[in-house]
Amino acid sequence: AAMAGWGWVRAVRGLLLDVSGVLYDSGADGGVPIAGSAEAVRRIKASGLKLQLCTNETQATRENFVRKLRAMGFDISVAEVTAPAPAACRLLKERGLRPHLLVHDDLVPEFAEVDKTNPNCVVLGDAAENFTYANLNEAFRLLIGMEKPVLIALGKGRYYKETDGLKLDVGAYMKALEYACDVQAEVVGKPAKRFFESALAELGVPPEQAIMIGDDIVNDVGGAQQCGMRALQVRTGKYRPSDENHPEVKPDAYVNNLAEAVDIILQQL
């Protein structure tokens, strides 16, 4: 890539990385690292840049998620992961909400400390195989029966990429419940501004000194730019060529993958 126009990188002190589609492609087999990405993470850390993973991953607790990443060769700690479930738990406690969970079985331990008796809201995550008609209908009945229905979604992605193809994401089911119950979901996770702000706070860097790198043009790139960050779109994961003509979101740059992004960024510093 031509280096013209990359001068702004000199001010950068930290990187926010999306995970699925940037570090690895998930799959039934646990997933496959994207070529060069583990080495790229090592190079970021060696350079002295700060690093935070900002993920909408809701199929595992952060501990298990990090264990999986480490097994793939990524040098990452739990403190370096900003994920929707812990943020949702804070919000539930602040507002005295007792959730009915429609989430992946492996995520349930994240909500261990939260009162779930007599639910007064529904929390929706990427439940994968748990997105059955019966489970969706149960969540629908609870919501429709509430005087003031509260639906909290751990992200609003449309789809993501697994090793065997694209998969419907939580946003599709969120829309179904919104439509059926005539309710507006509250999104915890990307692209919510509060979520990016908490990731930046954990990174310890103001938005103008951070770059978000993601494969989701709307939730990663658009969300980060609305927070005052620069954002790069990788051509891995769920990226499709049509993303390059997106009517609303224009990434600060396109890169073929994380490794190329890190090459360019480190050359500027």
Side-chain angles (χ1 to χ4, degrees):
M3 292 301 129
W6 285 91
W8 54 267
V9 170
R10 286 184 202 106
V12 167
R13 288 173 46 223
L15 300 182
L16 287 184
L17 304 185
D18 175 42
V19 181
S20 177
V22 175
L23 298 189
Y24 74 98
D25 283 319
S26 55
D29 46 7
V32 178
I34 291 167
S37 55
E39 178 60 23
V41 168
R42 273 196 292 282
R43 292 180 65 205
I44 292 165
K45 291 194 162 186
S47 75
L49 286 172
K50 295 177 164 189
L51 174 73
Q52 190 75 15
L53 304 187
C54 187
T55 179
N56 274 7
E57 168 68 44
T58 58
Q59 286 197 12
T61 61
R62 276 179 308 169
E63 283 74 11
N64 285 344
F65 182 54
V66 165
R67 198 171 295 136
K68 180 169 90 170
L69 286 174
R70 294 184 76 87
M72 286 187 202
F74 293 101
D75 173 22
I76 294 294
S77 67
V78 172
E80 290 170 316
V81 178
T82 303
C89 288
R90 281 199 298 276
L91 179 137
L92 293 167
K93 284 181 173 167
E94 278 165 24
R95 288 169 45 188
L97 292 170
R98 301 180 304 278
H100 168 77
L101 301 175
L102 177 41
V103 300
H104 198 282
D105 291 339
D106 294 342
L107 191 71
V108 173
E110 289 273 21
F111 294 89
E113 306 297 302
V114 177
D115 180 6
K116 295 178 276 294
T117 56
N118 190 21
N120 57 3
C121 73
V122 167
V123 170
L124 196 63
D126 179 11
E129 306 299 322
N130 281 350
F131 278 135
T132 60
Y133 177 75
N135 286 349
L136 277 164
N137 204 49
E138 186 186 7
F140 158 73
R141 284 178 171 173
L142 273 164
L143 284 169
I144 203 89
M146 292 172 192
E147 203 177 320
K148 290 203 174 92
V150 176
L151 173 60
I152 294 167
L154 305 180
K156 59 184 263 190
R158 294 171 177 178
Y159 54 85
Y160 55 94
K161 182 170 185 270
E162 288 207 332
T163 45
D164 63 347
L166 299 176
K167 297 283 167 91
L168 275 176
D169 200 357
V170 60
Y173 300 95
M174 175 192 92
K175 286 290 180 192
L177 289 173
E178 281 187 335
Y179 180 62
C181 302
D182 197 18
V183 60
Q184 190 87 43
E186 300 175 46
V187 178
V188 177
K190 298 174 294 190
K193 202 164 181 182
R194 237 180 103 175
F195 190 68
F196 276 113
E197 283 166 355
S198 67
L200 284 167
E202 289 170 47
L203 194 61
V205 164
E208 59 278 7
Q209 295 179 0
I211 307 177
M212 175 76 200
I213 303 176
D215 69 326
D216 185 318
I217 184 116
V218 173
N219 293 307
D220 294 332
V221 175
Q225 287 175 334
Q226 283 175 342
C227 282
M229 272 184 270
R230 304 274 189 163
L232 309 184
Q233 163 99 21
V234 289
R235 296 189 179 103
T236 55
K238 73 168 85 162
Y239 162 85
R240 296 156 87 201
S242 61
D243 292 346
E244 304 211 18
N245 308 312
H246 196 278
E248 278 103 49
V249 184
K250 302 276 174 270
D252 290 277
Y254 289 91
V255 287
N256 286 322
N257 48 44
L258 178 63
E260 183 181 70
V262 171
D263 279 345
I264 293 170
I265 290 164
L266 296 185
Q267 277 169 27
Q268 297 297 316
L269 294 181

